């Protein structure tokens, strides 16, 4: 009996040892471990890239920030892929999400063609804006905390010196970002990549920390029912607004795509300026009931009033999500450098215009959680 028991113990030990070796040597044979392995790899890559972001390896990178949550994460992936597919220059992706989505995104990146991108993931601390947001009218989805992550770029990325390009996750980029640059060697490299005018390296006027796309200089302007001036977004009956001496007929600008100089952002203490108006709006009517719908845009319009540089209109063709019908010709869409489905009709929804362009860059979710609606 003792000999039999000893054999059973030895056999059990061998089985456990073999199972342990299979997990180490052949994890791909165990499907339930595949996602765990991808997450671990993603965490390692994030730590490695955080370290490298402080070295000379990333000093000439194009820094791109995208924010998203579990409901729009497929848009983030499609946008990343469009940039990765069309920009040969070194791009570093700074991806800001809710806590629930961080592992989901790591799996999506590490198990698809995006596994070679350089990226870091940041979870946006929603406590930063808790109690500071009040959307009185319009779309309540504009009150989501992640919509306000763009206010905190220097705080989210304290190691970045210089520029960051912010792009909403309902966008697609169709050409490379850069053409001009500060160093001769970088200029020679980029001239081989793209002949189009660069967005990331665009010249900002002296004293301007940001570049936006003005509604006055955009072909998109004709697609909305609004005049798209300041009166559409801000309450000019407010005493505080009257003190700012803002012209209500001044053209608005769209904050879904912008280039920011974080050094100047810090110098001018822009985050605190934005938070001042954000919090003031919870106490008195500053914006929200106007046709623009409130959200994160009005404080930026107040703070950057006549203090921004215009982006080339081709770098922000928007309002693709404003209506379900086609607003632009296919030829015009092909010529656009950046497409933005701002509005209710997102490209992953059942009804949206030029959905085929977005689907060209969408990568199927390996976890099956995110499923874009498709027409029957």
């Amino acid at each position: 009996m003792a000999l039999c028991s000893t054999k059973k113990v030895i056999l059990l030990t061998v089985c456990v040892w073999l199972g342990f070796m299979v997990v180490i040597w052949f994890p791909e044979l165990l499907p339930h471990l595949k996602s765990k392995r991808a997450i671990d790899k993603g965490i390692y890559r994030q730590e490695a890239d955080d370290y490298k972001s402080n070295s000379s390896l990333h000093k000439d990178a194009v820094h791109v920030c995208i924010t998203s949550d579990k409901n729009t994460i497929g848009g983030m992936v499609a946008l990343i892929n469009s940039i990765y597919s069309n920009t040969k220059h070194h791009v570093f992706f700074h991806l800001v999400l809710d806590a629930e989505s961080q592992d989901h995104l790591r799996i999506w990146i590490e198990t698809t063609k995006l596994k070679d991108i350089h990226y870091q993931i940041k979870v946006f601390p929603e406590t930063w804006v808790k109690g500071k947001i009040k959307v009185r009218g319009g779309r309540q989805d504009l009150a989501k905390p992640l919509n306000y992550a763009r206010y905190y770029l220097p705080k989210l990325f304290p190691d970045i010196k210089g520029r960051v390009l912010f792009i909403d996750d309902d966008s697609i980029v169709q050409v490379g970002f850069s053409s001009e640059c500060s160093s001769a060697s970088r200029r020679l490299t980029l001239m081989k990549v793209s002949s189009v005018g660069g967005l990331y390296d665009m010249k900002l006027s002296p004293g301007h920390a940001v570049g936006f796309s003005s509604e006055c200089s955009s072909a998109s302007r004709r697609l909305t029912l609004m005049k798209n001036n300041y009166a559409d977004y801000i309450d000019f009956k407010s005493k505080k607004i009257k003190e700012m001496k803002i012209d209500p007929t001044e053209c608005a600008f769209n904050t879904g795509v912008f280039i920011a100089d974080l050094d100047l952002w810090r110098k001018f203490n822009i985050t605190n300026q934005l938070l001042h108006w954000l919090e003031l709006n919870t106490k008195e009517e500053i914006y929200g009931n106007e046709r623009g719908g409130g959200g994160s845009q009005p404080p930026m319009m107040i703070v950057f009033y006549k203090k921004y540089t215009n982006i080339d209109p081709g770098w922000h063709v928007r309002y693709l999500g404003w209506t379900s019908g086609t607003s632009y010709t296919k030829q015009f869409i092909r010529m656009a450098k950046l497409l933005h489905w701002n509005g209710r009709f997102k490209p992953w929804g059942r009804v949206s215009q030029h959905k085929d362009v977005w689907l060209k860059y969408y990568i199927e979710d390996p976890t099956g959680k995110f499923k874009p609606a498709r027409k029957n």
Side-chain angles (χ1 to χ4, degrees):
M1 289 292 293
L3 182 60
C4 183
S5 297
T6 301
K7 287 182 178 180
K8 288 182 178 179
V9 170
I10 293 174
L11 180 61
L12 181 61
T13 302
V14 170
C15 289
V16 170
W17 181 82
L18 287 174
F20 182 70
M21 289 299 101
V22 167
V23 170
I24 293 177
W25 292 339
F26 308 104
E28 64 276 6
L29 298 179
L30 301 174
H32 65 283
L33 288 179
K34 190 174 182 180
S35 295
K36 176 65 166 60
R37 187 188 184 204
I39 292 173
D40 292 341
K41 183 182 178 186
I43 292 172
Y44 168 77
R45 285 172 57 86
Q46 180 180 341
E47 291 174 347
D49 286 338
D50 282 346
Y51 170 77
K52 288 188 291 184
S53 67
N54 294 320
S55 72
S56 60
L57 294 178
H58 286 307
K59 67 178 182 179
D60 284 337
V62 171
H63 293 276
V64 177
C65 176
I66 309 169
T67 64
S68 195
D69 61 22
K70 63 179 181 180
N71 298 314
T72 62
I73 189 172
M76 173 183 272
V77 170
L79 174 55
I80 293 171
N81 187 32
S82 71
I83 296 170
Y84 178 61
S85 300
N86 294 315
T87 305
K88 291 184 173 63
H89 187 61
H90 182 194
V91 177
F92 194 102
F93 293 95
H94 305 272
L95 309 173
V96 185
L97 299 121
D98 56 335
E100 186 178 346
S101 302
Q102 57 178 328
D103 287 344
H104 185 188
L105 181 63
R106 286 197 184 102
I107 295 170
W108 210 330
I109 290 174
E110 296 295 341
T111 59
T112 64
K113 62 176 285 190
L114 300 179
K115 63 183 180 297
D116 293 325
I117 68 170
H118 289 96
Y119 72 100
Q120 66 174 160
I121 292 175
K122 292 269 187 172
V123 173
F124 180 63
E126 296 186 1
T127 54
W128 287 0
V129 292
K130 186 175 182 180
K132 299 177 181 178
I133 302 170
K134 188 169 185 178
V135 176
R136 293 178 173 84
R139 295 164 47 197
Q140 288 301 310
D141 60 312
L142 297 176
K144 293 191 299 184
L146 270 161
N147 281 334
Y148 301 83
R150 69 197 75 197
Y151 290 6
Y152 295 91
L153 295 180
K155 191 172 182 179
L156 285 167
F157 311 113
D159 296 327
I160 297 181
K161 309 300 179 185
R163 297 186 170 196
V164 168
L165 177 59
F166 181 92
I167 309 177
D168 272 350
D169 61 4
D170 51 355
S171 304
I172 287 293
V173 173
Q174 299 193 114
V175 297
F177 281 133
S178 300
S179 63
E180 299 294 326
C181 44
S182 57
S183 67
S185 59
R186 187 178 174 205
R187 185 177 293 110
L188 287 172
T189 301
L190 293 175
M191 285 174 65
K192 297 176 182 178
V193 175
S194 174
S195 61
V196 300
L199 175 58
Y200 189 78
D201 292 311
M202 68 170 281
K203 183 178 179 180
L204 294 176
S205 300
H208 288 180
V210 292
F212 293 111
S213 184
S214 168
E215 297 292 357
C216 287
S217 61
S218 173
S220 308
R221 187 182 184 191
R222 61 184 172 82
L223 300 177
T224 75
L225 299 176
M226 299 190 299
K227 294 178 181 178
N228 273 323
N229 54 32
Y230 268 66
D232 283 317
Y233 294 87
I234 298 169
D235 184 359
F236 279 85
K237 297 187 297 294
S238 165
K239 180 180 177 181
K240 297 290 194 310
I241 293 298
K242 289 178 181 178
E243 291 173 354
M244 295 295 294
K245 299 188 184 304
I246 295 174
D247 180 0
T249 65
E250 178 73 17
C251 282
F253 54 82
N254 189 283
T255 61
V257 176
F258 63 89
I259 185 75
D261 183 325
L262 295 194
D263 296 331
L264 288 179
W265 192 294
R266 295 181 182 101
K267 179 181 177 180
F268 299 146
N269 205 11
I270 287 171
T271 296
N272 283 345
Q273 292 187 54
L274 293 168
L275 293 179
H276 166 74
W277 292 103
L278 186 68
E279 294 183 65
L280 185 61
N281 185 62
T282 66
K283 302 170 185 176
E284 57 186 88
E285 169 64 22
I286 302 295
Y287 57 85
N289 282 323
E290 282 60 49
R291 296 177 70 187
S296 62
Q297 179 152 318
M300 298 187 81
M301 292 177 63
I302 297 170
V303 171
F304 292 114
Y305 176 65
K306 292 190 175 181
K307 296 178 182 176
Y308 71 93
T309 303
N310 280 316
I311 288 175
D312 174 355
W315 275 112
H316 193 180
V317 173
R318 51 198 179 276
Y319 295 111
L320 273 76
W322 200 259
T323 64
S324 58
T326 301
S327 302
Y328 301 107
T329 65
K330 289 186 176 181
Q331 181 181 7
F332 181 80
I333 290 297
R334 283 196 299 268
M335 293 172 60
K337 300 167 188 175
L338 186 150
L339 302 172
H340 185 191
W341 280 263
N342 61 312
R344 299 177 185 275
F345 300 96
K346 302 303 182 185
W348 51 83
R350 187 166 298 281
V351 180
S352 65
Q353 57 178 294
H354 300 290
K355 189 187 188 84
D356 57 315
V357 179
W358 186 84
L359 287 172
K360 176 183 175 182
Y361 294 104
Y362 176 69
I363 298 173
E364 294 292 337
D365 181 0
T367 71
K369 294 179 182 177
F370 187 93
K371 296 179 180 179
R374 302 177 189 271
K375 292 181 179 180
N376 295 329

